[in-house]
């Protein structure tokens, strides 16, 4: 079972500007990283156990660029932290839940991530995220 909310992904046009905003709230960036596979630049901002994941597109064909074009900036996805993501995905697929990723891809922080299909999730883009051991 997922045990916690890992992070909340927020699509932004300008990562630096967004980071400055969160700094004004008294929060600090833990790490910034480019995730080539997703064509995004990411900043992680811890809030207690949960992180805010700010996402800026690095390319016009990034899903984040398309998301902002369609819907503007805002909450993009919710990530549930889980162990054994591979068996988790197999298990939920047998329950008729539609997946975007049938096998995990590499996310930021060396995590393994997979997205569920919004048709199965009441319109929320849900990510399963298996964090690397040293940062959970
Ligand atoms: Co994410």
């Amino acid at each position: 079972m997922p045990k916690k909310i890992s992070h909340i992904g927020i699509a932004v046009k300008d990562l630096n500007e967004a980071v400055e905003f969160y700094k004004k709230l008294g929060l600090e960036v833990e790490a910034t990283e480019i995730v080539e596979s997703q064509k995004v630049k990411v900043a992680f901002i811890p809030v207690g156990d949960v992180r805010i994941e700010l996402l800026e597109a690095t390319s016009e064909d990034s899903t984040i660029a398309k998301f902002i074009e369609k819907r503007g900036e805002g909450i993009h996805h919710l990530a549930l932290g889980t162990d054994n993501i591979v068996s988790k995905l197999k298990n939920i697929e047998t329950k008729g839940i539609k997946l975007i990723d049938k096998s995990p891809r590499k996310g930021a922080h060396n995590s393994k991530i997979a997205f569920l299909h919004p048709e199965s999730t009441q319109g929320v883009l849900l990510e399963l995220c298996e964090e690397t051991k040293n940062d959970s």
Side-chain angles (χ1 to χ4, degrees), residues 4-7 49 51 81-82 109-112 129-136:
K4 65 171 192 175
I5 304 276
S6 164
H7 61 267
D49 252 7
R51 293 183 179 90
T82 186
H109 266 68
N110 280 320
S111 58
K112 290 179 206 156
C129 176
E130 183 178 337
E131 295 175 8
T132 46
K133 296 281 181 265
N134 60 359
D135 76 7
S136 58

Side-chain angles (χ1 to χ4, degrees), residues 69-88:
E69 197 179 292
K70 255 200 238 164
R71 301 165 72 164
E73 294 177 293
I75 293 183
H76 177 258
H77 66 272
L78 180 66
L80 301 175
T82 186
D83 295 329
N84 304 318
I85 189 166
V86 172
S87 57
K88 188 82 210 159

